[in-house]
């Protein structure tokens, strides 16, 4: 991808795919065949072993999604409404503890499912690699 920020001592395994505007923190490791979505952030010293969806932040070893990447979205001219949609998706996927197919279905039912933010998250989740969705 373009406009990626990758800090020192970060390591990527083979065949890792990183989408536009992603941020990878100092000392992080990304397992082979993982994907990092657009505007996502992997925090410092984290170990990513599954796909990290767009607009979300992950932290830990192994990494877990902990929030949305609001600052990156604001810096890249996303509207307040779009940031709120990313937060709604975060709650649906990570706070309701749905299985991936159920979470995708809930996102599709969202009144603003056609918005570019939700579409990006849905598309990423549907096309998660063999590593699986974080």
């Amino acid at each position: 991808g373009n406009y990626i920020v990758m800090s020192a001592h970060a390591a990527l395994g083979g065949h890792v795919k990183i989408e536009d505007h992603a941020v990878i923190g100092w000392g992080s490791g990304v397992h082979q065949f993982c994907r990092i979505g657009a505007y996502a952030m992997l925090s410092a010293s984290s170990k990513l072993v599954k796909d990290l969806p767009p607009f979300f932040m992950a932290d830990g070893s192994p990494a877990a999604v902990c929030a949305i990447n609001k600052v990156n979205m604001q810096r890249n001219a996303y509207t307040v409404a779009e940031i709120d949609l990313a937060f709604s998706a975060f709650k649906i996927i990570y706070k309701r503890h749905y299985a991936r197919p159920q979470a995708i279905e809930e996102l599709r039912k969202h009144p603003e499912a056609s918005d570019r933010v939700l579409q990006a998250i849905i598309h990423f989740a549907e096309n998660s690699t063999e590593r699986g969705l974080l």
Side-chain angles (χ1 to χ4, degrees), residues 1 12 14 16 33 50 62 71 81 85 94 98 109 113-114 119-120 125:
L12 305 176
V16 171
F33 298 106
K50 294 187 176 189
V71 171
L85 283 174
Y94 297 102
Y98 289 134
K109 290 179 187 176
S114 62
Q119 281 299 304

Side-chain angles (χ1 to χ4, degrees), residues 18-94:
I18 305 171
E19 295 180 357
D20 296 345
H21 299 277
V23 178
I24 302 169
W26 182 93
S28 296
V30 181
H31 194 281
Q32 64 185 4
F33 298 106
C34 286
R35 291 171 46 214
I36 298 176
Y39 304 94
M41 179 178 183
L42 180 62
S43 66
S45 300
S46 293
K47 177 177 85 172
L48 186 68
V49 297
K50 294 187 176 189
D51 295 346
L52 174 58
F55 310 109
F56 297 144
M57 292 175 50
D59 183 38
S61 184
V65 172
C66 57
I68 65 166
N69 195 359
K70 181 178 178 180
V71 171
N72 200 353
M73 293 179 77
Q74 289 171 329
R75 288 179 180 163
N76 287 282
Y78 279 86
T79 67
V80 171
E82 289 173 320
I83 292 169
D84 288 345
L85 283 174
F87 187 66
S88 293
F90 167 76
K91 290 191 295 187
I92 289 169
I93 297 170
Y94 297 102

